[in-house]
Amino acid sequence: EALVEARGQARRASRRESVLLAEVGRALKKTMNAILGYSELVQEESEALGAASVAADAGRIHAAAEHLLQLINDILDVSKIEAGKMRLECEEFSVPALVDSVVSTITALVRRAGNQLVVDCPAEVGAMIGDRTKLGQALLNLLGNAAKFTRHGTIRLVAHRELEAGTPWLGVPARSWLVFAVHDTGIGIPAERLGELFVPFSQVGDASQSKGGTGLGLAITREYCRMMGGDVSVDSEPSRGSCFTVRVPADVPAALATGQGT
């Protein structure tokens, strides 16, 4: 009886914590969006007036606010996942179009460290049914992570479709999968530390590299992939680079989309 009561108290405390975190997060997001808007306005007006130093300061404020807003979003996402409140919003969409959108968003960050971005996503990859936003965020997280630990190298995003043969006599149908591989020529990760990569708030890398962030990106990426019935894996070698591979169903099961399969 004591254990049951203790478990009940822990669950109630966890729910209260999730509600509080969500409320605080919404308030912080509102404030950060206001800072983003005003700093962008100040930057544009300062540039128009020729006040270069003021424009530069406003630009730094805008960049810092964007970074903080991303951290807030990551923490809120982890809170929703742990509370079981994260749901999929599935729709049919073009995979090459999604990849184009992701690439246009991440290109500036990739090139900032002198890296080259190579994309291989032929039109034949076609469409899929899944959560476009979560898959796009997963790819952005992987590309951003690659850019963070690669300097003057090459980052490649390769997408293709795989057909998995079924077992008719067992009633298992054939399935189509979408596979996305993010290769980089960065610092790589020792084999003994690969298990830490997807642990929330854990950061694995060379201390001499500027990492930043909260160590939540890869954890969120794995959770998103698993919510869609897939997963993400990694293969890495120090000084030679890493390859993160996302594999998700081309047609996310309806039970997962409604939360019944989670």
Side-chain angles (χ1 to χ4, degrees), residues 16-258:
R16 288 195 295 269
E17 180 182 343
S18 296
V19 171
L20 176 62
L21 186 57
E23 291 297 327
V24 172
R26 278 194 286 270
L28 288 173
K29 288 178 69 173
K30 184 177 181 180
T31 301
M32 296 314 301
N33 281 321
I35 293 173
L36 283 168
Y38 282 118
S39 61
E40 187 173 358
L41 181 62
V42 170
Q43 185 177 14
E44 291 175 354
E45 292 186 351
S46 300
E47 290 173 348
L49 294 172
S53 61
V54 176
D57 288 340
R60 283 189 281 271
I61 293 171
H62 189 275
E66 278 189 324
H67 178 65
L68 184 54
L69 182 60
Q70 183 59 54
L71 298 186
I72 293 170
N73 287 333
D74 285 348
I75 292 172
L76 287 177
D77 283 349
V78 167
S79 176
K80 288 180 181 178
I81 290 169
E82 291 182 344
K85 295 182 178 180
M86 185 68 77
R87 292 290 181 266
L88 297 177
E89 296 181 8
C90 293
E91 59 182 322
E92 184 173 2
F93 59 90
S94 164
V95 174
L98 171 66
V99 169
D100 286 344
S101 176
V102 167
V103 168
S104 66
T105 301
I106 203 70
T107 296
L109 177 63
V110 170
R111 292 178 177 173
R112 193 175 299 164
N115 296 311
Q116 179 185 12
L117 179 60
V118 178
V119 180
D120 182 7
C121 179
E124 292 75 20
V125 172
M128 70 171 285
I129 297 176
D131 192 314
R132 186 183 192 280
T133 300
K134 289 182 176 58
L135 179 57
Q137 187 60 54
L139 296 179
L140 282 172
N141 288 344
L142 294 181
L143 288 167
N145 190 70
K148 192 185 303 183
F149 295 105
T150 306
R151 295 291 182 271
H152 304 288
T154 301
I155 296 172
R156 297 176 63 235
L157 171 59
V158 180
H160 69 276
R161 184 181 291 266
E162 286 183 356
L163 183 63
E164 181 180 63
T167 310
W169 59 278
L170 288 177
V172 179
R175 297 187 70 184
S176 182
W177 296 79
L178 271 301
V179 181
F180 305 86
V182 176
H183 306 259
D184 69 63
T185 57
I187 60 175
I189 306 159
E192 64 272 15
R193 302 205 64 187
L194 292 178
E196 304 173 34
L197 281 174
F198 301 102
V199 177
F201 302 105
S202 175
Q203 294 189 358
V204 180
D206 189 338
S208 67
Q209 298 283 341
S210 176
K211 297 183 286 295
T214 58
L216 292 173
L218 291 179
I220 291 172
T221 294
R222 168 162 280 183
E223 289 299 329
Y224 282 173
C225 292
R226 289 181 171 178
M227 286 177 68
M228 287 186 280
D231 209 341
V232 57
S233 59
V234 58
D235 182 25
S236 185
E237 185 177 345
S239 302
R240 295 183 65 87
S242 304
C243 178
F244 287 82
T245 303
V246 166
R247 192 170 183 265
V248 293
D251 187 350
V252 173
L256 295 180
T258 59

